[in-house]
Amino acid sequence: MKRSTVEHSSMGLVVVNFGSSDLIRTNLSDVLAAFPAVVVDNFTSTDEQVRVADLAAEAGADVIRSPTNSGFGEAVNRGVGQLIERGVERVLLVNPDVHVSEQQVLHLSSVSASDPDAIMSPIILNGIGQTWFRGGVLDRHRIVATHADPTGPDVELDWLTGACLLVPAAAWRQLGGFSSDYFLYWEDV
């Protein structure tokens, strides 16, 4: 059952599925049930569509079914558009393999509320507790995007990962979302 507090209703979640219903069920079922949420299913199979519909119904999340694999950026755009139409103030994009708790989402929402124009990503840990992502750096001469050194000094960051990205609705509208020219990879850079 969805929470009805202002804090919960002002934050929405978008998950793009491509054959990942088991990961969504394992990692995100609880958080999808706590906030307005949309699962965008990029078609892999009819059986997968049924699994996604079942898990979304259990969590009270909406499902957008794509008849084909429209790509990550386009799928995110569709999910975010639906949540913004419903009046959410902030959207958290989260990959199926990311585990995030309700409390962590509320903390991100609170930090975002204190800087309402900022797009942000948390530090993301891997399965054994090591830093996987804490920001990205772009080598503009070689056109190479890399993760910032997890043990290195703080550096100016050029990009944040779409694996777990909080975007205020106003910033999303201003930027126009992800470019659908990118099917997969680089849309977040």
Side-chain angles (χ1 to χ4, degrees):
M1 176 184 288
K2 298 279 183 193
R3 309 277 194 297
S4 61
T5 66
V6 171
E7 201 169 41
H8 282 78
S9 63
S10 66
M11 170 68 91
L13 278 76
V14 172
V15 180
V16 176
N17 178 62
F18 184 72
S20 304
S21 60
D22 290 339
L23 286 171
I24 296 170
R25 183 175 299 285
T26 300
N27 294 319
L28 298 170
S29 289
D30 292 343
V31 77
L32 290 177
F35 299 91
V38 176
V39 178
V40 183
D41 183 47
N42 273 338
F43 183 80
T44 53
S45 72
T46 305
D47 289 343
E48 179 69 2
Q49 281 185 326
V50 170
R51 286 190 293 272
V52 169
D54 289 347
L55 77 85
E58 291 167 17
D62 293 337
V63 176
I64 297 175
R65 289 186 180 139
S66 179
T68 62
N69 180 1
S70 61
F72 180 76
E74 181 61 30
V76 167
N77 290 344
R78 292 179 67 197
V80 172
Q82 183 168 317
L83 285 173
I84 288 175
E85 284 178 17
R86 290 173 52 190
V88 300
E89 297 170 18
R90 289 174 285 289
V91 179
L92 183 66
L93 314 179
V94 61
N95 277 2
D97 60 344
V98 171
H99 177 78
V100 62
S101 72
E102 179 180 349
Q103 288 307 89
Q104 290 167 325
V105 173
L106 288 172
H107 178 73
L108 284 170
S109 182
S110 174
V111 172
S112 175
S114 68
D115 191 355
D117 295 327
I119 297 172
M120 57 186 65
S121 173
I123 292 174
I124 301 173
L125 306 177
N126 65 17
I128 57 174
Q130 297 170 327
T131 299
W132 174 78
F133 185 83
R134 68 175 196 126
V137 180
L138 180 63
D139 180 335
R140 288 171 172 78
H141 299 291
R142 295 184 313 151
I143 320 272
V144 175
T146 58
H147 290 202
D149 182 351
T151 60
D154 287 341
V155 296
E156 184 173 325
L157 301 173
D158 298 313
W159 61 277
L160 299 172
T161 180
C164 190
L165 185 69
L166 188 146
V167 184
W172 188 266
R173 283 190 294 269
Q174 182 180 3
L175 295 171
F178 286 147
S179 172
S180 1
D181 292 343
Y182 295 97
F183 179 78
L184 183 64
Y185 303 119
W186 286 83
E187 64 280 329
D188 45 5
V189 178

